[in-house]
Structures are given as C-alpha cells and as structure tokens.
Amino acid sequence: MAVNSDMMRGMAEPIILKLLNYKKMYGYEIIKVVNEKTNNAFQWKEGTLYPCLHRLEADGLIDSEWEIADNGKPRKYYTLTKKGQAKMAAKVEEWSHFAQAVNNLLFA
Amino acid sequence: MDKLNQSLDLFTEGLRSDPEIRLDIRKELQSHLEEKIAEETAQGHSNQESLELALKTFGSPVEVADGLAAANRKRMNFRARIRLLAGALLIPTVIICALVSLNMASGLTSLNILFGNKLQFLNTSRIFTADFFRGYTAEQKLILYGDDTRKNRIEQQKAILDKFPENKVYAANYIIVFLDQSDGKDMNLIVDEIDRVGRFDQENAFYNYIAAGIMLKSACDEVQVPGENSKAKPQYRFELKDRALLEKAMRQYMIGVNKKYCRSYSMDFLKEKLQIMGDPESFIGHIDQIVVAACFLLPNLSQYRNISKYMPEYAGILIKEGKNQEALQYLNTWKQFIRHINSDSDYLITVLVMDAIARIDAEKLPPLYDKLGMTEVARTVAEEAGSIHKPVQEWKNARKQITGNTFSDHGSILSSVLIPALGREFTGKELAPSRYAEYVFFQKITLAAINLVLLAGMVCAAVAVLFWRVRSNSRLLLLAPQPLAVLKILGMGSVMPCIACLALLQIELLSGYSYGIVANFPKFIAQMTLLMMLITTAVLTLTGRYVTDRCRELGVATPPPSGRIYKISFMTGLGLLVIAAFIPLSMSPPHSPQSPTAAILIIGGLILTVLVILRIGQWTAVLFCGKEYSVYYGAAARMLLLTFALAVLVLTCIFRPILDWREAGYIREDKIMFGSTESFTRIEGDVVRYLKSGIDQALTKVSK
C-alpha cells in the first residue's frame, strides 16, 4: 500500500540520515534502497530527493564528493558528518516517541 | 537526448545565478536520470519510453526547480558574497604590493638631492615610501629635503634658513649650497651673501675663509708651465690678475685666523638629518644614510686650498716689496689656519685636504722664512708641518701593506667599495653580518620581483577572463574554491618553496654565503631564479590541476595534458637550476669564469626560457583556436586571478616580515658597516677620529 505523500513530508530527512549512517551513497542509490526496503510503499518523486540532500548538506549534516563509479561515470556520493550523526540519533529518538504516542492513540 | 538536456535545463532553471552550482547539480541529476534510463531500457523499454518513464518518476520540473533553488539559496548567496570579497581583495593586494615594492626604492629618493632635485620621479616614489612609512612631519621633511617646490637648490635650501632665520647650522648650509651651485660665478653676489649671513656668527672664521678663497680665485691664477718632458711632474706658475682684490682677500683671511673658531656645521646638519631618519634597520636604510652623507657638499675645501696656495705667494710679493713685517705676519698664521681647519675636519676627505695644506706649508713656507733671514725658524716650520703630516703619512703607509682578497671574496659590495681605502683589515667572519644583510636585501628584491611576476600574471588572467567571456558569449564558470584546495595551492605553491629555500640557504656550504654576492653571483642567481620558477609554476600548475579536476567532475571539456617531452624537459631545466643553486662550494670555485655553476645555470636557464616561451606561445594560440575549451580556460583564468592574488598576499605578509627581521638582526650584529651617525660607515668614523686625534696631538706639540 502506498503511503500518502503528506505523511512522507518530514520523514525524508531522518530516513536519508539513517541510510547514510550505514555507508556513503549517491542519490539514485538512496531511492533504490528506500523502495527496496519499503517494498515501494513510499511513492517518492525522485527529483524531490535532491533539494532534501542539498538542504542537509547546507546545514552541515552531510558531505558530498564526486567519485568515478565502476562503470567509469562520475557519481556524487554523500556521507554523514558528525553533526549529522547526532542529528540522526535525535531524529530517530523523536520518531520513536512520536510513533509510540500515535500507536497508543490508534491501537490502545 | 535533446529532451533530457531540456529537462535538465528546466530542473536547474532557478540556479542560473551560480554557473558552478548549476553545472554541479545538473551533472548530478543527469547521472541519476541516465542510470534510471539504462535500467528501464534493460527491462525492455525503448529509449524514448525509458526517458519518459525516468522523467515521470522524477517529478514536476517546476516543483524540482523550486525545491533546488530554495535548498541552494543560502549556499548561492554565501558564494556571491565570497566572490565579492575575493574581487575586493585584489585591489588592496595590488596596492600593498606596489607600496612594498616602492619601499625598496626609498634609498633612491635621497639620490635626487645629488641631482639638485631634478629627477622628480624619485620624489614621487619618496612620497609613497619614506614619507608614508616613516611619517615625517612637514618640518622634518623641510630639513631633510629643503622646500622642493622652489625652483632651484639654492632656493630650496634657503627655505630652511627662512623658516629658522638665526640658526647657525642652516645658515652655513645655505652658504655652502650657494657656493657649490653658483660655482664661483658672480663673485660679488656670493661675497655679499656670505657677509650678510656671517653676521649671525661673528666669531666663526668659516665665512672669512670662504670669502677670501673666492676672491683669491678671481685675483690670482695658476698657469701650468710645460715640463722638460711629458713624464715630468707638471709645474705651476703664480700669476697675479688683480692686486687690490688679492689684498682684500688676504685681509679677510687675516680677520678669519684671529677668530675663535672655524665651523662649517656640516657634521651638525648631517647628524640632525640622520637623527630624523632614525637608525637604519635595513640595508636600503643604510644606503639612504650613505646617500644623505654623500650629499653633503664641501665646496669650502677648495677655498681652503686657494688660501694655502696663494697666501705664501702673497707673502713672497710683500717680501719682494720690502714689507717684511707684514709678510711675517701672514707667514706666522699657518698653524692657526691648520688648527681651525682640523677642528672642522669631520670627514676623511677634509682630514686629507687639511693634510695636503700642511704638506704645501712644509714645502712653500721655509724658503720664505729663509728669505727673511730666519733660517732656524724655516727649519722648525718644515719639521712642524712635517710632524702634522705624519699621522696621515703613517696611515697611508699602513694602507699600502694590505694585500689579499678578503674584501673581494668575503665582503659585501658596499664593504668592498667603502672599507678597503680605510687601511684596516678584517676577517671574513667580521665581514659576515654586512655580507648577510646584503644577501637578504637581494632576497627582498627577488621577493618583489616574484610579486611583480604574479601581479603581471593577474593582469594577464583578467584579460583572459574578459577575452573568453566575449569570445564564448556566455557567463563563464566561476569556481568557488574549496578552502582546503586553496590552502594546498598556497602551501605547496608559495610557502613550501620559500621555507625550503630559506632553510637550505642557512647552510653556507650549499648557499655559498661565506663569499660575497659578487664572488658567489652564479649560485645566487640560480637560487633566486629557482625560487621564482618554483613559486610561479607551482601556483600555476596546482591551480590548473584543481580547475581541470573540477571541470571534469562538472562535465566541462578540458584540453589534453602536456606531452611527456615537455614535462621531462621542464624537470630537467628545473633540476639543473637546483644543482646550480646548491652545488657545494668545493665543487664550484667562486670567481672562476669556468665555474661549473655558471655553465649549469646557463643550460638550465636556456631550457626553461625556451619552455616558457613555448608555453606562452601555446596559450596565445589557444586564444584563437581553442573555443571548445573556452569554459575551461575562462574558469582557469578566474581561478588564477584569485590564487595569484593570495600568493602575493602570503609572500608579502609572511616572508617579507621574516626577511625584514633577519636583515635588521644582521645590521644590529655588524660592527663595521652600519650604525654610523657621522660617516658612510662606522669604521670610517673611527678612522677619522683616529687621524684627527693624531693631528691634534701634533698641533699641541708644535704649539709648545
């Protein structure tokens, strides 16, 4: 089942930070991993990922670097900064409280 | 793929104001879409279908464009401010460097005094240098240079007396300049002016002596008598032109010898000027001091010589006329005259003139005393005048004993010009501080030359930016350099070569600094050329590499790299310069015309010159046929503008103070050349004092 895009708003940043916490990734790879892990539940418009990435970069939460991929083409890889790690932990914690609260209301 | 390009243009429409960010993001989106298209195609869709699908899942162009513009606005604004700041930095950089370079020439400014303030361009540089850096007051400037708005030097110096009308020092200075500049023309005018000014200083014989000397020059003449053969010493015959004037002159002389003292105040004025200028802390400050000292005129010396030549002749005339008592009066003044002049002898040249007068007296006076029947007195006068001459005679004899190449091998240029004539020998170690100070001075000139080359590079880069902008008819790529990348360029391009060069130059075996700069010239030229080549080419190459890498990331076309032959030739030329610069002294004998250093330097220099000419030719050719790389060349030129400017700042703000500090240290350490407030060199002041005291002792003895 596809998730409503309104619900998605505000979730993109914690998801990106969490994914980059595992390893450095490029934009298209992030989309693919999200789709794979959520079984395409998030109907992201792929183009909206980039403003999000650039905002995180401007805030110093992630860094980017061009690298030549195995296929010989350049790709821009993103990595999590220390500041990003702290932010990610806080966001995950925040989400956990939020989800708990919503669950309590909906399924109590 | 036109549709893909059109879509990418639409997605990045909001980023137009920053071409680098736009290209960077465009490239990122393109990479994403191409990968997506490739996947769709692999699943069996046609190219067109794959493109449509990829664009559909990417989202609305308007939404993406707005999102990207909003997300990057902060970054773009920041970069715009940085660009503005970088542009604003270039102008102060140019001004600072121009001032620093001009400051190097401040020694030349005083030179203008030698040319009677005729070389106005030297005054212009003075305005930007000495006055700017030292902050002289208007009064100090007047004392140092006179009023250079006035038409000639006499008037310029008279301005000082006009400002301080009863100052004896400035009065004597004005008369000396008047005497020098008028060159004896219009004698009556000069004599009247001497009379007018001399009234402020009633007990000073100086004015009477110079008035007498000027009149004697007009009243008498010396005519050369042809010798028996051309090798014989020329003889002169006295010729009287104006008896009345001769008598007037001798009356002035007699008034003078009966006065208490004789003071030209030259040394007082010199000391006052040097005090205003302050102790020299740099080599050029010392040159300034020397120039100011050298600018002191001594036209009174020729008037003293006139008196010493013609007074005996006048006494001879009086004897012939039977006026023996009057003649004796004049003859008996010789010691007082020498005493007066000796008390005013503050320069080596005045001591030597005074000595010459004593020798003339020893030769001319005894025969006149003989004619008066005073044989015993004649003998005593010959002995006494001889004893006054003795200290200088002994000093001259000692000077002849000095042999060897100490000064030419181990002295600085200045010390080998100014010291050997003083009759003292020094070891290479004693000459070291002044030698090192001179090396540091030339290092500062090299630094200024590197700055000028970088400034010239900035001008060329600015012209290239304009050229490519017009030629490509587009906004050229302006790269916002990463701070780390800039630090790397500056560190490796300017800081490291300077530190490495300064460190290696500390080792005398490698630097050759145990020899003077003249003896060590090929090595020094190799060292400085190497430094200049390293800094300019390193900054150029590292910047070029950064721009190339960045352009490749952004998908901008870059020209092919230099060929292997070019690289090998360049490294060979540079390698030869390294060898010539640091070849150990034992393998590179100084002074030798067959010096291997010179040969290696010439070969290395020729290779590098040819390569530089080729590279400049290549860049010029690119201007006419390299349009495909216009964005790259435009970006490179803009980046070079920034890195060259920062390199100039680093060199000027870090290394110039280091060199200044080292130079000041050597000058403080020196005991021979620097720090004299009364002569060209410290040691010359010592020699003058030594000779003067010897003559004083002789004069005291003969008085008894």
Side-chain angles (χ1 to χ4, degrees):
Chain A
M1 190 179 73
V3 178
N4 185 293
S5 64
D6 287 340
M7 282 182 70
M8 275 296 299
R9 197 161 292 140
M11 278 311 301
E13 288 184 11
I15 290 170
I16 293 168
L17 292 177
K18 186 71 186 172
L19 290 177
L20 293 179
N21 191 36
Y22 298 125
K23 62 167 189 165
K24 64 178 181 184
M25 296 170 103
Y26 59 98
Y28 188 60
E29 188 182 9
I30 294 172
I31 296 280
K32 282 206 297 188
V33 170
V34 168
N35 286 343
E36 203 178 294
K37 291 202 171 187
T38 61
N39 204 15
N40 287 323
F42 292 172
Q43 295 283 307
W44 270 9
K45 286 292 179 195
E46 294 174 9
T48 57
L49 168 72
Y50 291 96
C52 193
L53 282 170
H54 296 167
R55 242 188 335 268
L56 291 172
E57 193 179 10
D59 291 342
L61 303 177
I62 59 174
D63 263 342
S64 68
E65 200 174 2
W66 281 96
E67 280 180 29
I68 303 297
D70 295 340
N71 61 7
K73 292 197 171 177
R75 275 179 188 153
K76 199 184 208 181
Y77 281 90
Y78 292 91
T79 49
L80 199 63
T81 61
K82 279 193 176 169
K83 192 179 168 189
Q85 281 175 345
K87 184 83 175 175
M88 184 267 299
K91 283 275 180 191
V92 169
E93 178 77 16
E94 189 183 313
W95 174 254
S96 169
H97 284 297
F98 178 73
Q100 183 71 48
V102 173
N103 286 342
N104 287 345
L105 282 172
L106 296 179
F107 306 111
Chain B
M1 285 289 151
D2 275 352
K3 186 160 184 193
L4 176 62
N5 283 326
Q6 281 169 11
S7 302
L8 287 169
D9 285 345
L10 285 175
F11 291 139
T12 56
E13 181 64 25
L15 311 169
R16 285 174 76 96
S17 62
D18 194 321
E20 186 187 1
I21 287 189
R22 189 180 191 191
L23 261 181
D24 186 84
I25 294 172
R26 195 181 190 280
K27 185 82 181 163
E28 188 179 18
L29 304 186
Q30 186 181 355
S31 160
H32 178 119
L33 287 168
E34 282 175 354
E35 203 160 329
K36 178 85 177 168
I37 291 165
E39 274 187 15
E40 297 294 346
T41 311
Q43 284 173 17
H45 294 106
S46 70
N47 286 347
Q48 190 57 37
E49 283 169 349
S50 302
L51 175 62
E52 296 293 344
L53 277 170
L55 290 175
K56 192 178 167 192
T57 50
F58 207 76
S60 143
V62 175
E63 202 178 328
V64 173
D66 288 349
L68 287 172
N72 288 285
R73 187 161 298 125
K74 200 168 130 191
R75 186 155 65 124
M76 288 197 294
N77 289 342
F78 176 71
R79 283 161 55 98
R81 277 198 292 275
I82 292 285
R83 278 201 297 274
L84 199 69
L85 192 69
L89 263 179
L90 296 181
I91 297 164
T93 304
V94 171
I95 293 171
I96 288 169
C97 294
L99 279 174
V100 168
S101 304
L102 276 172
N103 189 30
M104 204 76 77
S106 68
L108 296 173
T109 61
S110 306
L111 204 62
N112 195 14
I113 300 169
L114 281 176
F115 295 98
N117 270 335
K118 283 174 190 156
L119 307 178
Q120 281 304 319
F121 70 94
L122 291 181
N123 278 355
T124 313
S125 69
R126 194 185 76 211
I127 291 163
F128 288 110
T129 57
D131 294 356
F132 180 84
F133 284 103
R134 292 173 184 162
Y136 293 140
T137 62
E139 202 169 273
Q140 286 174 328
K141 272 193 261 185
L142 178 71
I143 291 165
L144 281 176
Y145 311 119
D147 180 356
D148 51 17
T149 59
R150 294 197 181 184
K151 63 179 180 188
N152 60 40
R153 193 163 172 208
I154 297 173
E155 288 300 318
Q156 287 163 5
Q157 292 299 309
K158 188 169 180 282
I160 310 174
L161 186 59
D162 290 345
K163 172 105 176 158
F164 307 95
E166 292 190 10
N167 186 303
K168 292 175 183 176
V169 175
Y170 305 148
N173 166 63
Y174 160 60
I175 287 298
I176 286 170
V177 175
F178 197 120
L179 194 59
D180 178 74
Q181 298 289 301
S182 56
D183 198 25
K185 290 172 215 151
D186 202 349
M187 183 201 75
N188 289 331
L189 184 69
I190 302 168
V191 171
D192 287 351
E193 198 64 357
I194 290 170
D195 185 47
R196 187 182 70 80
V197 173
R199 280 179 203 160
F200 296 117
D201 202 357
Q202 290 284 349
E203 290 307 316
N204 192 353
F206 169 72
Y207 295 103
N208 305 96
Y209 288 154
I210 54 173
I214 294 163
M215 288 190 271
L216 283 172
K217 199 184 170 194
S218 298
C220 317
D221 212 352
E222 267 187 333
V223 182
Q224 193 172 343
V225 180
E228 289 171 9
N229 58 56
S230 60
K231 285 180 185 169
K233 198 179 168 188
Q235 298 292 313
Y236 293 93
R237 178 168 52 81
F238 171 77
E239 197 172 79
L240 180 60
K241 292 193 288 187
D242 184 338
R243 172 69 187 252
L245 192 59
L246 172 64
E247 284 179 356
K248 197 176 168 189
M250 292 320 294
R251 276 199 298 279
Q252 274 290 337
Y253 166 69
M254 193 53 100
I255 295 168
V257 285
N258 286 313
K259 285 191 174 177
K260 281 185 184 165
Y261 55 86
C262 173
R263 297 283 301 276
S264 66
Y265 301 108
S266 288
M267 185 53 71
D268 302 72
F269 196 30
L270 174 63
K271 281 184 177 174
E272 192 177 344
K273 282 189 172 190
L274 294 179
Q275 201 171 1
I276 291 172
M277 293 168 74
D279 287 340
E281 289 182 352
S282 65
F283 181 80
I284 203 71
H286 180 59
I287 298 275
D288 236 345
Q289 197 180 48
I290 288 175
V291 170
V292 169
C295 285
F296 268 85
L297 305 166
L298 301 163
N300 47 322
L301 295 185
S302 58
Q303 312 312 330
Y304 297 162
R305 283 182 70 102
N306 285 344
I307 292 172
S308 76
K309 275 190 297 188
Y310 297 130
M311 186 276 277
E313 299 292 347
Y314 180 61
I317 292 170
L318 292 175
I319 292 168
K320 271 186 195 167
E321 291 171 352
K323 297 172 184 171
N324 289 2
Q325 273 307 313
E326 206 180 329
L328 192 59
Q329 259 188 340
Y330 278 102
L331 290 175
N332 285 343
T333 58
W334 73 275
K335 272 189 268 185
Q336 175 64 0
F337 183 53
I338 286 184
R339 195 171 286 117
H340 267 166
I341 297 171
N342 188 51
S343 66
D344 196 40
S345 297
D346 295 311
Y347 302 93
L348 189 56
I349 183 72
T350 47
V351 173
L352 295 178
V353 167
M354 205 275 325
D355 177 66
I357 291 172
R359 273 187 290 128
I360 292 172
D361 287 346
E363 185 190 323
K364 286 195 172 181
L365 299 187
L368 293 167
Y369 278 108
D370 277 338
K371 280 185 186 173
L372 291 171
M374 303 168 77
T375 321
E376 187 58 27
V377 177
R379 195 183 57 79
T380 313
V381 167
E383 276 176 15
E384 286 178 342
S387 72
I388 293 167
H389 169 55
K390 206 175 166 192
V392 174
Q393 183 65 46
E394 282 174 355
W395 170 73
K396 281 184 176 173
N397 288 340
R399 203 170 60 163
K400 283 179 195 160
Q401 307 298 316
I402 295 176
T403 51
N405 298 324
T406 315
F407 285 107
S408 60
D409 278 355
H410 304 289
S412 60
I413 297 174
L414 265 188
S415 63
S416 53
V417 168
L418 297 175
I419 304 286
L422 299 176
R424 292 268 299 271
E425 264 193 297
F426 296 96
T427 62
K429 203 175 172 188
E430 286 172 302
L431 293 167
S434 67
R435 189 175 65 231
Y436 270 97
E438 198 166 87
Y439 272 116
V440 176
F441 167 69
F442 283 106
Q443 286 170 1
K444 278 163 72 174
I445 287 186
T446 308
L447 200 67
I450 295 171
N451 275 347
L452 286 178
V453 169
L454 292 172
L455 284 175
M458 283 170 67
V459 172
C460 292
V463 172
V465 169
L466 285 175
F467 177 87
W468 287 113
R469 190 159 189 168
V470 171
R471 187 141 195 260
S472 67
N473 199 20
S474 72
R475 239 182 108 86
L476 287 165
L477 183 60
L478 176 60
L479 300 174
Q482 300 297 316
L484 275 176
V486 173
L487 280 178
K488 187 179 157 192
I489 292 170
L490 294 178
M492 290 176 69
S494 54
V495 178
M496 292 275 286
C498 281
I499 289 176
C501 200
L502 285 177
L504 285 172
L505 292 178
Q506 292 299 308
I507 306 164
E508 279 192 349
L509 180 72
L510 300 179
S511 66
Y513 282 11
S514 55
Y515 283 87
I517 198 165
V518 174
N520 194 34
F521 198 62
K523 269 171 80 75
F524 181 76
I525 290 292
Q527 287 155 3
M528 295 301 108
T529 314
L530 178 68
L531 186 63
M532 186 181 279
M533 284 300 296
L534 275 180
I535 289 175
T536 48
T537 53
V539 173
L540 193 71
T541 311
L542 290 168
T543 307
R545 192 173 295 165
Y546 174 80
V547 174
T548 307
D549 290 349
R550 189 76 184 113
C551 281
R552 283 184 187 150
E553 280 173 3
L554 299 174
V556 173
T558 55
S562 308
R564 185 176 284 183
I565 294 175
Y566 180 89
K567 281 180 186 166
I568 291 172
S569 310
F570 186 78
M571 295 314 288
T572 308
L574 219 53
L576 286 172
L577 273 192
V578 172
I579 294 169
F582 299 111
I583 189 170
L585 273 178
S586 54
M587 295 167 69
S588 167
H591 295 302
S592 165
Q594 294 84 30
S595 166
T597 313
I600 298 168
L601 170 66
I602 290 167
I603 298 168
L606 276 176
I607 293 174
L608 289 174
T609 308
V610 169
L611 293 177
V612 168
I613 291 170
L614 280 176
R615 185 40 70 94
I616 291 171
Q618 188 191 345
W619 285 334
T620 313
V622 157
L623 292 177
F624 300 101
C625 53
K627 199 173 176 182
E628 66 212 274
Y629 306 121
S630 61
V631 175
Y632 167 81
Y633 285 121
R638 281 183 150 181
M639 187 73 182
L640 277 175
L641 207 57
L642 179 73
T643 51
F644 276 175
L646 291 175
V648 169
L649 271 182
V650 165
L651 291 178
T652 309
C653 299
I654 298 179
F655 291 100
R656 170 75 194 219
I658 290 175
L659 292 179
D660 284 344
W661 169 72
R662 293 186 63 203
E663 191 182 25
Y666 290 130
I667 282 169
R668 274 195 299 274
E669 203 182 306
D670 178 75
K671 299 282 182 285
I672 300 169
M673 291 292 292
F674 308 115
S676 168
T677 54
E678 52 191 13
S679 219
F680 295 149
T681 57
R682 189 183 275 207
I683 206 72
E684 184 173 335
D686 292 349
V687 170
V688 171
R689 268 191 298 278
Y690 165 76
L691 291 176
K692 243 180 108 168
S693 96
I695 293 166
D696 272 340
Q697 282 173 14
L699 277 168
T700 313
K701 268 188 196 167
V702 300
S703 296
K704 284 175 187 167

